[in-house]
Amino acid sequence: MARGESGAVRVALLGCGTVGTEVVRLITDQAADLTARVGTPVELVGVAVRRPHRHPWLTENFGHLVTTDAGALVARDDVDVVVEVIGGIEPVRGWLLEALKAGKSVVTANKALLAEDGPTLAEAADASGADLYFEAAVAGAIPLLRPLRESLAGDRITRVAGIVNGTSNFILSAMASGGTSYGDALEEATRLGYAEADPSADVDGYDAASKAAILATLAFHTRITASDVHREGMRGVSSADVAAARRLGCTIKLLAICERVVDEAGAESVSARVYPAMVPDSHPLARVDGAFNAVFVEAEAAGQLMFYGQGAGGAPTASAVLGDMVAVARNRVGGGRGPRESAYASLPVRAIGEVPTRYHVDLEVADREGVLAAIAGEFARQGVSIAAVRQTGGINGSIDSTARADDAGPGPARLTVVTHSAREAALSATVAALADLDHVIGVVGVLRVEGLGRAVSALGMGE
Amino acid sequence: MARGESGAVRVALLGCGTVGTEVVRLITDQAADLTARVGTPVELVGVAVRRPHRHPWLTENFGHLVTTDAGALVARDDVDVVVEVIGGIEPVRGWLLEALKAGKSVVTANKALLAEDGPTLAEAADASGADLYFEAAVAGAIPLLRPLRESLAGDRITRVAGIVNGTSNFILSAMASGGTSYGDALEEATRLGYAEADPSADVDGYDAASKAAILATLAFHTRITASDVHREGMRGVSSADVAAARRLGCTIKLLAICERVVDEAGAESVSARVYPAMVPDSHPLARVDGAFNAVFVEAEAAGQLMFYGQGAGGAPTASAVLGDMVAVARNRVGGGRGPRESAYASLPVRAIGEVPTRYHVDLEVADREGVLAAIAGEFARQGVSIAAVRQTGGINGSIDSTARADDAGPGPARLTVVTHSAREAALSATVAALADLDHVIGVVGVLRVEGLGRAVSALGMGE
């Protein structure tokens, strides 16, 4: 355990954007506290940035530490810990692998890299005995990974589900509270700095899927990568969907869900998925607004736990990075190691088609006799059990503005069906068959309903 | 690091009540998982109980492990880890000290002992290099101490506040939702097994005060014992208080509050206190019902975090114990150590009289001219600023049933005052002076209001 002559733990920082700047600030402002907590000083020995002229605060105050050569910084003999807050897969992967192979501890917030290639990093850490910590990669400041890896290490986790992308939650919150359209809400999020110029990582669910992969890996002791996660974004959520959810006593949230699934034969598998879903307003997740994150964890002995806080932002993410940095520094001083990769369970991944969920299906239908029977028949044919049906409209009802005025018959009506738990594959087949029915003018919306319970009774039959 | 010949980590369990039984069950049921997670088997080598005949399940299934001599079990050479779930100060303190001095790691759920004499245990652990873990001592299954000790180790915690006693929260929830009296709610809690035959530890705030001491110690790196915690129980909360809170848009909760206080001169101190207080319904803590626990943590970089879950019960508490057991077992295998006591800050404790809070004061007053002026004068005299006043009654108003029928004048009225933040000492002096006023028939209720904000505007002036 090489350390400086002064006994200091020497830290190299890769990247100095919003999070990195806060990391530098906290390391320097809290030097005395960190020394007391670690047992020896923590010394920042280098900061790698691509374009130093874009970091005036850094170059002015810490110019002697700045380098543009991250690879050379990582390779330096006088570096004990590498903190990475650049993000993205390449070229970061190579630097972190080099660091771990050389026995340097790594603290990273890089969810994309961990979700794509976490096992390779973990193996490098195990081989050299170095630490690999990444609390900041999921849910920012919320202590979530440490509880999963350590506090619940004697329990059996059955489910981790939550809101782990603040940008999409900000947009969905704005749509729900202000009746704003998706486009307007996205514009507002961009203006406030919550959304990036290209919002795809957030609104298309890539960011949440990376986090789901990391959570599922830890919760179920099974290597889950981003490609194992079923992913649907929230671009398709319309104001009509938001209104439909409200009528049901629900709120639409972009959820990351990781579940241990046990089939009839007792065989276990892991389901990891990201999609927008209706959540009953009685559920605490429905009340998580704006850019906040919240995650529910269910374990056999612990029961239900919830963690709530800021999922992004410079200071909150830096708090998580610093917590990890103190841990790896303590380990270097004390001679211990953090928890290693635990992937012994190696459970198979369950295909999304086999995952049971409840669904909310909104149909625009011709207001004729027999329409309900025909529709119910299609659900029954696929073995999808209906929990509740509500019809609104005829011609004077709450008809969608897209209703075709030239329809024959007494005019279209809206039919809302909420199913009992059904396999995705059966529901997809049902929806395809419904779209072909004469009576059905259009399938207006299909959304999953998660954590239902009370919402079904709130729906009732007709109004 | 002595371990069994098989390499197993050998565990002695002290106590086998509700929690201990679950610990035994989890260790045996999850043996394969624990082995995989620790890296070596975890072996239960002895269980100490006072009266074996009261534990038929234990003696039937693990009779060969049972002993009545806890001291001898702790002293055995073939014990690596001592798990204690007996509770109480003596004789447990001696056993745990013996274990730690002998280099055995200790996992304990004993909040009373930790709050009274944690530093002695911590010193013994540090001296021998043994681990001392106690996640289960506060908020049961909720991972709270590990986040405070580790995840937030690079941050500056400013406040830890929450509901940490499930029994009193069950009673207050029943009073709030059902209009039940304290006595009836307590009876229900006892019937359901939430309250013990002698409910004093719960309803008088001793349990919460122990937990506050542990939380404050970790959050502020300062030794805080139970005697440093200002403690008021919730026996005195009446149905009238509950109704008054509801009128204000608040709910009464028994809170444990640990704060870093910075005075005008920049000097820091720690305030740790337990009392029933009004919490605005808009605050998530107001919605924590039944026997659940929830804790808010505020840190400078992380911002606001919330942790929610089951704070008591056999399985949830055992989950926390097992998580710690896995951690200390991993440390024994890997050669590391958990975080040591961190009390370097040694902040002074702030006297309750110097702690500023908002107050809700309910007065029964004679309905005469000048009464408001007289009362406002008393508040002003002590420098307590009034945020809002509401008068109800006269003779046909909402007069408390204890109003004296033989009062002279046009009959009593109710005056409700909510103050701005005021020092406890100033408020106490105000209340004493008010009680002596001619116009005041009685001080009906005094309750603190915590985390106010929106509640004041909800109060308004009149109805």
Side-chain angles (χ1 to χ4, degrees):
Chain A
M1 161 169 352
R3 279 192 280 124
E5 280 180 37
S6 64
V9 174
R10 298 158 301 181
V11 175
L13 176 65
L14 309 187
C16 201
T18 327
V19 177
T21 301
E22 286 297 319
V23 169
V24 173
R25 198 185 59 74
L26 289 171
I27 289 181
T28 45
D29 284 5
Q30 306 196 358
D33 279 319
L34 292 174
T35 301
R37 294 174 194 181
V38 170
T40 194
V42 172
E43 190 189 342
L44 189 62
V45 297
V47 182
V49 292
R50 231 173 354 158
R51 303 186 197 84
H53 64 277
R54 291 205 184 169
H55 305 271
W57 176 80
L58 179 71
T59 48
E60 191 168 313
N61 293 282
F62 302 93
H64 60 295
L65 299 182
V66 175
T67 171
T68 55
D69 190 343
L73 175 59
V74 166
R76 267 166 55 177
D77 281 344
D78 66 341
V79 167
D80 303 310
V81 176
V82 173
V83 173
E84 184 263 317
V85 290
I86 299 175
I89 311 283
E90 301 294 355
V92 173
R93 171 166 35 199
W95 296 330
L96 299 193
L97 277 174
E98 278 314 304
L100 291 167
K101 282 179 185 163
K104 291 162 189 178
S105 298
V106 166
V107 174
T108 173
N110 195 327
K111 57 215 145 205
L113 174 56
L114 289 160
E116 173 162 313
D117 206 13
T120 304
L121 295 178
E123 279 165 14
D126 278 359
S128 73
D131 273 335
L132 173 63
Y133 275 71
F134 45 92
E135 181 69 65
V138 183
I142 309 171
L144 181 60
L145 306 191
R146 188 172 270 104
L148 288 180
R149 284 220 278 189
E150 303 182 42
S151 307
L152 292 166
D155 205 335
R156 204 176 127 86
I157 297 171
T158 49
R159 192 173 214 240
V160 181
I163 296 164
V164 295
N165 181 271
T167 305
S168 59
N169 200 55
F170 178 89
I171 295 172
L172 287 169
S173 297
M175 290 173 73
S177 68
T180 328
S181 71
Y182 167 76
D184 289 349
L186 172 60
E187 205 172 286
E188 172 80 354
T190 310
R191 200 177 58 75
L192 292 172
Y194 289 128
E196 300 188 39
D198 175 4
S200 176
D202 294 319
V203 302
D204 293 329
Y206 292 100
D207 174 81
S210 290
K211 291 164 176 171
I214 295 169
L215 292 171
T217 297
L218 297 182
F220 305 122
H221 302 273
T222 291
R223 289 178 172 178
I224 303 287
T225 64
S227 60
D228 296 322
V229 180
H230 174 79
R231 179 190 52 76
E232 299 172 31
M234 46 73 69
R235 268 188 219 263
V237 175
S238 66
S239 301
D241 290 329
V242 170
R246 184 173 307 125
R247 282 196 296 274
L248 270 179
C250 290
T251 304
I252 299 176
K253 294 293 182 190
L254 184 69
L255 299 179
I257 301 173
C258 311
E259 279 176 337
R260 183 192 294 272
V261 185
V262 184
D263 69 14
E264 299 75 14
E268 293 194 338
S269 56
V270 170
S271 164
R273 49 199 205 267
V274 169
Y275 45 62
M278 294 186 181
V279 179
D281 289 336
S282 57
H283 195 286
L285 285 180
R287 300 185 197 123
V288 176
D289 286 326
F292 277 83
N293 282 195
V295 176
F296 252 80
V297 177
E298 293 177 352
E300 283 185 356
Q304 286 197 326
L305 305 168
M306 191 172 92
F307 302 79
Y308 171 92
Q310 295 187 63
T317 308
S319 170
V321 168
L322 265 279
D324 280 354
M325 197 195 71
V326 168
V328 304
R330 275 177 180 163
N331 288 344
R332 292 192 93 81
V333 173
R337 276 205 56 194
R340 297 169 189 232
E341 187 194 23
S342 175
Y344 68 90
S346 291
L347 299 177
V349 175
R350 196 165 180 93
I352 186 70
E354 299 307 308
V355 173
T357 339
R358 285 161 180 264
Y359 290 86
H360 172 271
V361 181
D362 239 356
L363 302 168
E364 199 181 344
V365 299
D367 194 11
R368 300 192 202 117
E369 266 183 59
V371 59
L372 183 55
I375 287 167
E378 291 303 332
F379 279 93
R381 198 156 297 133
Q382 301 293 338
V384 178
S385 170
I386 292 176
V389 179
R390 183 171 65 179
Q391 183 166 355
T392 48
I395 199 76
N396 295 313
S398 60
I399 301 167
D400 190 81
S401 60
T402 61
R404 282 175 278 153
D406 57 349
D407 272 347
R414 180 68 69 88
L415 201 70
T416 298
V417 178
V418 176
T419 75
H420 284 300
S421 206
R423 285 183 311 113
E424 159 86 26
L427 195 279
S428 300
T430 308
V431 169
L434 288 174
D436 283 346
L437 270 189
D438 261 6
H439 297 302
V440 173
I441 299 167
V443 179
V444 180
V446 178
L447 270 172
R448 294 175 184 82
V449 186
E450 291 284 346
L452 205 62
R454 271 172 270 187
V456 166
S457 61
L459 177 69
M461 304 291 287
E463 291 207 302
Chain B
M1 170 161 345
R3 288 203 321 257
E5 281 178 38
S6 64
V9 174
R10 297 156 305 181
V11 175
L13 177 66
L14 309 186
C16 200
T18 327
V19 177
T21 301
E22 286 296 320
V23 169
V24 172
R25 197 183 61 72
L26 288 172
I27 289 181
T28 46
D29 285 4
Q30 306 196 358
D33 278 321
L34 292 174
T35 301
R37 294 175 195 181
V38 171
T40 194
V42 173
E43 190 189 345
L44 189 63
V45 298
V47 183
V49 292
R50 230 171 359 155
R51 302 187 196 84
H53 65 277
R54 291 206 184 169
H55 303 273
W57 175 81
L58 179 71
T59 49
E60 191 167 314
N61 294 283
F62 302 92
H64 60 294
L65 300 181
V66 175
T67 171
T68 55
D69 190 343
L73 175 60
V74 165
R76 268 166 54 177
D77 282 343
D78 65 342
V79 167
D80 305 308
V81 176
V82 173
V83 174
E84 184 263 316
V85 290
I86 298 174
I89 312 283
E90 301 294 355
V92 173
R93 171 166 34 199
W95 296 328
L96 299 193
L97 277 174
E98 279 313 305
L100 291 168
K101 282 178 186 164
K104 292 163 189 177
S105 298
V106 166
V107 174
T108 173
N110 195 326
K111 59 217 144 204
L113 174 55
L114 289 160
E116 174 161 313
D117 205 13
T120 305
L121 295 178
E123 279 164 14
D126 277 358
S128 72
D131 274 334
L132 173 63
Y133 275 72
F134 44 92
E135 181 69 66
V138 182
I142 308 172
L144 180 60
L145 305 192
R146 187 172 271 105
L148 288 180
R149 284 220 278 189
E150 304 183 40
S151 308
L152 292 165
D155 207 334
R156 205 175 126 86
I157 296 170
T158 50
R159 194 175 213 236
V160 181
I163 296 163
V164 295
N165 181 270
T167 306
S168 58
N169 200 54
F170 177 89
I171 294 172
L172 287 168
S173 297
M175 290 173 73
S177 67
T180 328
S181 72
Y182 167 76
D184 288 348
L186 173 60
E187 204 171 286
E188 172 80 355
T190 311
R191 200 177 58 73
L192 291 172
Y194 289 128
E196 300 188 37
D198 174 4
S200 176
D202 294 319
V203 302
D204 293 330
Y206 292 100
D207 174 81
S210 290
K211 291 164 176 170
I214 295 169
L215 292 172
T217 297
L218 298 182
F220 306 122
H221 303 272
T222 291
R223 289 177 173 178
I224 302 288
T225 64
S227 60
D228 295 322
V229 181
H230 174 79
R231 179 191 53 75
E232 298 172 30
M234 46 74 68
R235 268 186 218 265
V237 175
S238 66
S239 301
D241 290 329
V242 170
R246 184 173 306 126
R247 282 195 296 275
L248 271 178
C250 289
T251 304
I252 299 176
K253 295 293 182 190
L254 183 69
L255 298 179
I257 301 173
C258 311
E259 279 176 336
R260 183 193 295 271
V261 185
V262 184
D263 69 14
E264 298 75 14
E268 294 195 338
S269 56
V270 170
S271 164
R273 48 198 206 267
V274 169
Y275 45 61
M278 294 187 182
V279 179
D281 289 336
S282 57
H283 195 286
L285 285 180
R287 301 185 195 124
V288 175
D289 287 325
F292 277 83
N293 281 196
V295 177
F296 252 79
V297 178
E298 293 176 354
E300 284 185 355
Q304 286 198 327
L305 304 168
M306 190 172 94
F307 302 79
Y308 171 92
Q310 294 187 64
T317 308
S319 170
V321 168
L322 265 278
D324 280 355
M325 196 195 72
V326 167
V328 305
R330 276 177 180 164
N331 288 344
R332 292 192 93 81
V333 172
R337 275 204 57 194
R340 298 167 188 233
E341 186 194 25
S342 176
Y344 69 90
S346 292
L347 300 176
V349 174
R350 195 165 182 92
I352 186 71
E354 298 308 308
V355 173
T357 341
R358 286 160 180 262
Y359 290 86
H360 171 271
V361 181
D362 239 355
L363 302 168
E364 199 180 345
V365 299
D367 194 11
R368 299 194 202 115
E369 268 183 57
V371 57
L372 184 55
I375 286 167
E378 290 303 333
F379 278 92
R381 197 156 297 130
Q382 300 295 338
V384 177
S385 170
I386 292 177
V389 178
R390 184 171 64 180
Q391 183 165 356
T392 48
I395 199 76
N396 296 314
S398 60
I399 300 167
D400 191 79
S401 59
T402 60
R404 282 173 279 153
D406 58 349
D407 271 347
R414 179 69 69 86
L415 202 69
T416 298
V417 178
V418 176
T419 75
H420 284 300
S421 206
R423 285 183 312 111
E424 159 86 25
L427 195 279
S428 301
T430 307
V431 169
L434 288 173
D436 283 346
L437 271 189
D438 260 6
H439 297 300
V440 172
I441 299 167
V443 178
V444 181
V446 178
L447 268 171
R448 292 175 186 82
V449 186
E450 289 284 348
L452 205 61
R454 273 172 270 186
V456 166
S457 61
L459 176 69
M461 303 292 287
E463 293 205 303

